[in-house]
Amino acid sequence: SLKGPAQHDCCRAYFYVHQATRKRSAFCALLYFARYYGDIMRILPFLALSACICYADTLQFWTPPADAAALEADGRAMFEQARAARERLLAVQGTRTVENTLAPYDEILRYIGLAQNPAGVMKDASPDAAIRETAVKLVQEASALRSEVMLDPRVYKALSALEGSRGLDAQTAHYLSKTLRSLRTMGVNQNDETRAKIATTRDEIVKLEEEFN
């Protein structure tokens, strides 16, 4: 809806940002800035908007699966990645660090989410009954795997070893503290029998939620 000089400025701003981002070079960006300094300072607001547009062009957006088999394959792949990350976390020998302990834990939850979130959308939005059925199953399995990880005392012990570690910045220490507290709230510090009951109860809750929905 821009017209006249404003439209011209917007086009020039997009061109400058596009050239810099296309070549993926900070030096290139500085070169354009130096060359067109006067123009850039005049059209700075348009530059900010154009930068957002150019960055959005590089993002990968989720594409809905073609069928139930594709959805299930994607979900299973994410579950395998989550389990592999847990194995890496538990296999660490020696000093626990953010990189070999907290980062893999975050990966576990991220991969579970990458299976659960698309399935959560498809179970409610897909017109294909087979996809909806598969999605419900994946949501339940994702919830079960999340409970399994969060109730695993080995995972809790590994994360606890990071408490008080030197080199933790304030944000990481706070995040670690909240993570450990959430695991304790989940029941990870209970005995084997109690943890098993918690996992079973949570699975039943998820199934009842899906039936109700």
Side-chain angles (χ1 to χ4, degrees):
S1 62
L2 296 174
K3 297 183 181 299
Q7 184 181 41
H8 177 69
D9 287 346
C10 187
C11 290
R12 288 179 70 85
Y14 183 82
F15 169 76
Y16 297 153
V17 175
H18 176 72
Q19 289 298 313
T21 56
R22 179 174 62 85
K23 297 186 178 181
R24 299 290 194 274
S25 169
F27 175 76
C28 178
L30 288 172
L31 199 61
Y32 275 96
F33 184 83
R35 183 177 178 184
Y36 299 106
Y37 176 80
D39 286 346
I40 288 175
M41 295 308 293
R42 179 167 56 86
I43 60 176
L44 195 58
F46 296 111
L47 276 175
L49 176 61
S50 298
C52 294
I53 294 172
C54 288
Y55 176 70
D57 288 341
T58 68
L59 297 178
Q60 297 294 320
F61 291 95
W62 177 65
T63 302
D67 52 33
L71 177 63
E72 184 165 12
D74 289 345
R76 301 265 172 238
M78 293 302 102
F79 292 152
E80 289 178 9
Q81 293 281 5
R83 293 188 176 99
R86 179 174 59 177
E87 291 306 312
R88 289 197 301 274
L89 184 157
L90 296 176
V92 171
Q93 300 292 329
T95 304
R96 290 283 178 180
T97 65
V98 170
E99 290 74 19
N100 67 26
T101 301
L102 189 57
Y105 179 77
D106 287 342
E107 285 185 23
I108 295 169
L109 299 186
R110 182 170 71 88
Y111 283 122
I112 293 174
L114 287 173
Q116 186 172 17
N117 295 338
V121 172
M122 298 309 292
K123 74 180 178 64
D124 294 328
S126 176
D128 187 321
I131 288 180
R132 293 197 303 272
E133 182 179 349
T134 299
V136 168
K137 181 170 62 174
L138 287 173
V139 168
Q140 293 172 351
E141 292 184 22
S143 178
L145 180 55
R146 187 186 299 272
S147 295
E148 180 183 325
V149 170
M150 295 183 71
L151 288 169
D152 189 336
R154 298 172 302 168
V155 172
Y156 180 76
K157 181 179 179 180
L159 292 171
S160 296
L162 286 175
E163 279 194 306
S165 298
R166 293 182 179 179
L168 288 185
D169 57 54
Q171 291 85 356
T172 303
H174 178 68
Y175 172 64
L176 175 63
S177 176
K178 290 190 66 175
T179 298
L180 292 172
R181 184 177 63 186
S182 69
L183 296 183
R184 290 192 295 270
T185 301
M186 181 80 169
V188 69
N189 53 351
Q190 302 297 317
N191 59 43
D192 293 348
E193 182 181 356
T194 301
R195 290 198 310 273
K197 289 181 179 179
I198 292 171
T200 300
T201 301
R202 288 182 63 86
D203 290 347
E204 290 175 354
I205 290 173
V206 171
K207 290 179 182 178
L208 288 172
E209 287 177 344
E210 298 306 324
E211 290 178 8
F212 178 78
N213 289 336

